[in-house]
Amino acid sequence: MGLFRLKGFPGTGNFRHGIHPPDNKSLSAESKVEVMQTPETVVLPLLQHIGAQCKPVVKPRQIVRYGEVVGVGRAFISASLHSPVAGKVKKIGMVTLPNSMHLPAISIKTEGDQINPQRLWDEMTAMDWPRDCISIYAPETIAKIIHNSGIVGLGGAAFPTHVKVAPNDSRMIDTLLINGCECEPYLSCDDRLMREAPKAIVTGALLAGRAVAAKEIVICVENNKPEAILKLQQATEKTLIKIAVLKTKYPQGSEKQLVKSVLGLEIPLGGLPSDAGVAISNVATIASVARGVIKEGPLTHRVISVSGRGIKHPKNLFVPIGISMGEVIEYCGGITEDAARIISGGPMMGFAFSDMTTPVTKGTSGITVLTHDEISDEQETSCVRCGRCVDACPMNLVPTRLALAARYNNPSIAIRYHINACFECGCCTYVCPAKIKLVQLIRTGKKLVAAMAKS
Amino acid sequence: MIRTDLFVSVSPHIKQDVTVAKIMWTVVACLIPPLVLSMFVFGFQILYITLMSVGSCVATEAISEKLLSRPITVKDGSAVITGLLLAYVIPPGVPFWMPIPAAIMAIFVTKVLMGGLGFNIFNPALIGRAFLVATYPVAMTTAWLEPIRDASVFKYAGAGVDAISAATPLYVLKHYGMSAFMEKFGSMSAIYTDFFIGLRPGCIGETSALLLLIGGIFLIWKKYITWHIPISLILSVGVLTWIFGGETLFTGNPLVAVLSGGVMLGAFFMATDYVTSPTQKTGKLIFGAGIGALTVLIRLKGGYPEGICYAILLMNSLTPALDQWFRPKRFSEGAKI
């Protein structure tokens, strides 16, 4: 590394360490996005993003229209919630999400005339997205529309997008990176979106770039998605948007690693991309920005991929937020006999769940169903100090040392070895030949460190 | 609608298809070709020594773990590796029972009593050898055999230690000098070829640079070991011998130094032992270079013609310190933004 340069960029298109798990994308990557019909009920948890919970603004038995605000995010770091259906509010109950949060959620029973979801998807994939009249939108207007549309990061973290684009005098954004890496195995929703709706992504990129006054806009794609790259190249012709083709490697899509790969910059520990003059947004988020600004439509639907060897017919689907995971899985033919684990998201950082009523939220990028063979939990043996975890850690930490510190209740060693730099990508656990649950121990260690800091 | 037939757990949900046992058995496979060649070079009796060594290592591990009420771990293959490596650093003319006390020392004292695989400080096979050198010094320093070149593989079977004695290249070099060495082993090109293939007196498994190199490169290609320790070790032996190994400075022969003794076996299979070597790259480079330097020091100034065994053991004791001193630099450590 260091000898090679990514053409046209300061970075190398690569970062140190990381892993190459089998990507298994071919299971679903070739199936075109199908549009699911409106379900009978949707369940909308009041916290689908990072930040403050929404306040519900509807009551049981109240009639709501499509796109009507049902939950308002009053805090700055929050996002509003819009109804993806027309219908009647059933109740405000509780729901447990796969990420283990137990939250109030608004259930809405669909009634009356519905918006045709096929029309929403056709709009998204249309070729007539504007590119030239972007300047009629003032940056503040774009930020405001993003805020009002309830748009959050659709890559998985679900950070409210308006916070990233809000005018801020203290920080200057030079570069807007649009993250189309999709480095998690199995998932193909961003790949499909880039192939089928490249024009919407380009319009969204220009809008978001205008909102943050970025000098440069770069769409970042891993080199295992040649068709997406081709489509984006065609769609970005005669624009200033550049496309960075990066090495396929997990976790290429992680913010810090992506900034390093493309721009060669290292964001300090505890720092934000904006400290390096960078804003990062996922391709699906950017497409919903385009929809929010140009079509004045809030975030109510998203593309998810349903994949894995444990699902009968892997698919990519355009679904309303709030639809139950069970319905989505049924639509894909259900799970196979040897299905063993259902995951919200991908297998590296996703959350396993067993409740089929769990709703799809804004941050749900897909459902991965693994089989018994894939999850075989082998007996843990003692660490042989092989150093594979050290060579896999994208943060260049010593995972085995951190795990030992956690196991033997020693937060001071954990701090000395930078435990809080770990972002829990799971590379260390993936490669460990002794099958030690390293990242799980590190999570425990972080709690020990936090407890020590309090006392 | 909760499905009770599913297994819920925390991420990551997939793991690489690599286990400690798989790595260990791969190392075992890489160690077999030199053994097969040795059977034809030193006679079939070396197979008995090797089997005795492997058998007593595995038995010692099983019995001692049973006595200590610990889980029996012989399936992971590490005792087999210790057994093979122990045999590989013993001269081919020793009596068949010789590996037994060494195996008890290697497995019971060095490994099991330290806490088992992953907790030993020293390389078990080398402690076994060091123990034999201390207890049976005559056999361990004289039971060398001339390579068989006429396929009479039972030539040495049944012969006593006294009847058969050859001199190792390093012994000749140390005590009689370069001209005697050339006289005994032939022209320089013949020496390079023979030593590279493995046709020279030496320990059971250390002679074939070619096969050890193939095994080592395979392990590096599989990413089971990294290049850092072997390369720094071999370079350091070569360069230091070139500088100090001759009559005057810069006249030593680095190739002979690297191809004789246990350098190849040590570099690829002994010094790279996970448990007793540093986990980080800088530490590995210093570890390998340190072994090379100590080896050359013992060869040139010490009492023994070969020093790699003690060099590795000495550097093993520095491993925890090397890991402490050379921590990897955290991502963005010292980043200026």
Side-chain angles (χ1 to χ4, degrees):
Chain A
M1 258 182 68
L3 293 171
F4 307 101
R5 284 275 168 268
L6 189 59
K7 214 175 151 205
F9 299 96
T12 59
N14 197 355
F15 58 94
R16 282 192 72 187
H17 299 170
I19 55 171
H20 300 275
D23 72 4
N24 286 311
K25 305 238 184 215
S26 58
L27 286 172
S28 59
E30 296 314 312
S31 25
K32 284 190 90 169
V33 173
E34 289 177 33
V35 177
M36 268 192 84
Q37 289 309 306
T38 307
E40 278 175 26
T41 27
V42 291
V43 176
L44 304 168
L46 289 171
L47 181 62
Q48 306 190 14
H49 49 262
I50 290 176
Q53 199 170 308
C54 295
K55 293 266 179 313
V57 291
V58 289
K59 291 197 177 62
R61 288 187 300 284
Q62 185 176 330
I63 301 291
V64 291
R65 284 170 288 112
Y66 164 81
E68 190 177 332
V69 177
V70 292
V72 173
R74 289 216 173 78
F76 179 58
I77 302 185
S78 187
S80 295
L81 199 54
H82 302 76
S83 176
V85 296
K88 190 195 260 180
V89 177
K90 262 206 307 206
K91 60 171 184 184
I92 298 174
M94 295 298 284
V95 64
T96 307
L97 295 181
N99 63 10
S100 78
M101 280 200 285
H102 193 56
L103 295 167
I106 303 168
S107 306
I108 301 169
K109 189 170 167 37
T110 49
E111 273 181 20
D113 288 342
Q114 296 299 326
I115 189 162
N116 183 2
Q118 186 68 47
R119 205 199 83 212
L120 294 180
W121 180 242
D122 291 345
E123 264 176 25
M124 204 61 134
T125 55
M127 298 311 276
D128 61 349
W129 285 90
R131 297 203 307 206
D132 308 321
C133 59
I134 299 303
S135 52
I136 60 165
Y137 299 98
E140 296 77 21
T141 319
I142 299 170
K144 198 152 177 263
I145 296 173
I146 291 173
H147 195 172
N148 292 341
S149 306
I151 295 171
V152 303
L154 300 182
F159 188 78
T161 305
H162 70 89
V163 180
K164 288 186 189 173
V165 299
N168 185 338
D169 298 334
S170 67
R171 69 122 229 236
M172 297 291 287
I173 298 295
D174 293 316
T175 314
L176 171 66
L177 293 186
I178 294 164
N179 190 348
C181 289
E182 201 167 49
C183 59
E184 271 273 2
Y186 293 99
L187 301 184
S188 58
C189 52
D190 289 352
D191 185 15
R192 281 321 307 183
L193 192 74
M194 288 186 281
R195 290 198 211 178
E196 295 184 41
K199 296 270 183 187
I201 293 170
V202 169
T203 300
L206 294 170
L207 286 165
R210 182 163 165 79
V212 296
K215 295 181 193 77
E216 208 166 29
I217 303 172
V218 185
I219 305 179
C220 315
V221 194
E222 279 185 345
N223 59 10
N224 61 349
K225 304 176 187 68
E227 202 191 319
I229 295 164
L230 189 71
K231 286 279 162 62
L232 286 171
Q233 275 165 346
Q234 289 163 354
T236 51
E237 263 169 30
K238 297 190 197 104
T239 66
L240 293 171
I241 301 172
K242 291 205 248 176
I243 294 167
V245 179
L246 308 175
K247 193 168 179 215
T248 301
K249 190 175 176 186
Y250 177 86
Q252 183 71 266
S254 150
E255 275 189 352
K256 286 189 165 121
Q257 274 61 39
L258 187 64
V259 171
K260 174 77 184 172
S261 272
V262 180
L263 303 172
L265 298 171
E266 294 190 358
I267 302 165
L269 190 57
L272 292 169
S274 59
D275 297 336
V278 183
I280 305 177
S281 204
N282 169 274
V283 279
T285 317
I286 286 299
S288 53
V289 166
R291 196 176 112 74
V293 176
I294 308 288
K295 312 281 179 191
E296 295 170 14
L299 177 61
T300 56
H301 288 65
R302 66 158 299 155
V303 182
I304 63 170
S305 59
V306 188
S307 187
R309 294 193 172 77
I311 195 99
K312 287 215 176 106
H313 307 296
K315 285 180 198 299
N316 297 291
L317 300 169
F318 186 66
V319 298
I321 285 154
I323 190 172
S324 76
M325 299 276 202
E327 275 170 280
V328 174
I329 290 169
E330 279 317 307
Y331 184 82
C332 298
I335 60 174
T336 59
E337 294 263 302
D338 59 344
R341 185 174 295 169
I342 304 185
I343 300 158
S344 165
M348 289 306 297
M349 288 185 84
F351 300 95
F353 63 95
S354 61
D355 184 351
M356 295 300 112
T357 60
T358 305
V360 168
T361 63
K362 292 177 182 176
T364 308
S365 44
I367 301 171
T368 309
V369 187
L370 300 179
T371 58
H372 283 279
D373 298 341
E374 289 168 292
I375 63 156
S376 62
D377 236 356
E378 284 172 79
Q379 186 67 42
E380 182 177 322
T381 55
S382 51
C383 171
V384 291
R385 303 172 22 84
C386 63
R388 289 169 79 87
C389 56
V390 181
D391 294 334
C393 180
M395 297 305 284
N396 228 4
L397 306 174
V398 190
T400 175
R401 192 53 78 97
L402 295 172
L404 273 181
R407 182 170 281 171
Y408 296 108
N409 203 353
N410 195 334
S412 53
I413 285 189
I415 292 169
R416 202 181 323 144
Y417 281 85
H418 311 293
I419 194 164
N420 283 322
C422 171
F423 66 98
E424 304 177 13
C425 63
C427 289
C428 50
T429 313
Y430 177 79
V431 298
C432 180
K435 308 294 163 192
I436 299 171
K437 295 185 162 52
L438 290 162
V439 73
Q440 293 85 333
L441 279 164
I442 293 171
R443 288 182 191 127
T444 314
K446 285 184 180 174
K447 296 237 161 75
L448 288 177
V449 169
M452 193 180 76
K454 260 184 215 160
S455 61
Chain B
M1 214 170 67
I2 291 172
R3 291 194 66 126
T4 50
D5 55 341
L6 296 173
F7 300 85
V8 179
S9 178
V10 289
S11 66
H13 303 283
I14 48 171
K15 280 169 197 159
Q16 203 173 9
D17 179 27
V18 178
T19 60
V20 172
K22 186 173 172 182
I23 295 174
M24 296 290 180
W25 288 110
T26 310
V27 175
V28 170
C30 290
L31 283 169
I32 296 301
L35 177 68
V36 174
L37 183 81
S38 266
M39 282 164 59
F40 291 94
V41 173
F42 297 126
F44 274 26
Q45 84 286 354
I46 62 113
L47 189 62
Y48 306 141
I49 300 174
T50 310
L51 288 177
M52 186 61 91
S53 173
V54 172
S56 41
C57 279
V58 172
T60 308
E61 180 159 297
I63 294 168
S64 53
E65 282 174 339
K66 183 94 190 156
L67 290 177
L68 293 166
S69 321
R70 294 208 197 131
I72 310 290
T73 55
V74 292
K75 271 194 197 157
D76 68 18
S78 85
V80 177
I81 295 182
T82 303
L84 283 175
L85 290 177
L86 176 60
Y88 285 14
V89 291
I90 289 176
V94 299
F96 300 146
W97 52 264
M98 199 77 116
I100 300 174
I104 295 171
M105 195 64 199
I107 296 288
F108 181 64
V109 179
T110 314
K111 195 170 122 185
V112 176
L113 283 189
M114 290 286 177
L117 181 63
F119 298 95
N120 49 304
I121 300 163
F122 295 105
N123 187 313
L126 290 177
I127 290 282
R129 176 187 152 87
F131 176 75
L132 284 183
V133 172
T135 46
Y136 302 98
V138 177
M140 288 298 288
T141 48
T142 58
W144 311 109
L145 302 178
E146 286 295 341
I148 299 165
R149 287 169 191 270
D150 53 5
S152 53
V153 291
F154 296 104
K155 188 172 166 185
Y156 298 118
V161 173
D162 301 331
I164 38 160
S165 192
T168 64
L170 285 171
Y171 183 86
V172 175
L173 258 183
K174 188 177 181 84
H175 295 282
Y176 303 103
M178 200 61 181
S179 48
F181 175 76
M182 297 275 285
E183 203 177 303
K184 182 157 172 32
F185 296 103
S187 71
M188 230 40 207
S189 63
I191 289 175
Y192 290 145
T193 326
D194 282 359
F195 283 26
F196 189 65
I197 295 167
L199 294 167
R200 63 161 169 94
C203 290
I204 289 174
E206 70 176 21
T207 57
S208 178
L210 171 69
L211 295 179
L212 292 167
L213 201 61
I214 292 175
I217 289 172
F218 180 75
L219 291 179
I220 292 173
W221 174 73
K222 288 288 280 178
K223 296 198 172 142
Y224 288 172
I225 61 174
T226 65
W227 58 268
H228 302 79
I229 293 174
I231 297 296
S232 61
L233 198 164
I234 291 168
L235 275 181
S236 134
V237 169
V239 168
L240 290 173
T241 306
W242 172 59
I243 299 177
F244 300 109
E247 308 277 312
T248 54
L249 286 184
F250 303 105
T251 56
N253 188 323
L255 261 179
V256 168
V258 168
L259 293 175
S260 49
V263 172
M264 282 295 176
L265 181 67
F268 287 103
F269 292 95
M270 297 278 196
T272 54
D273 171 39
Y274 286 156
V275 183
T276 54
S277 66
T279 47
Q280 286 121 56
K281 284 174 184 137
T282 319
K284 282 179 180 178
L285 289 173
I286 292 167
F287 181 80
I291 293 171
L294 287 171
T295 305
V296 174
L297 185 69
I298 295 171
R299 279 182 179 184
L300 298 181
K301 298 287 168 203
Y304 292 107
E306 172 59 315
I308 189 147
C309 164
Y310 294 106
I312 294 177
L313 287 173
L314 284 168
M315 289 307 286
N316 282 166
S317 64
L318 259 185
T319 293
L322 287 171
D323 268 349
Q324 284 277 329
W325 297 336
F326 301 100
R327 269 181 271 160
K329 214 170 159 198
R330 167 175 65 72
F331 183 88
S332 81
E333 191 164 325
K336 287 181 205 79
I337 284 177

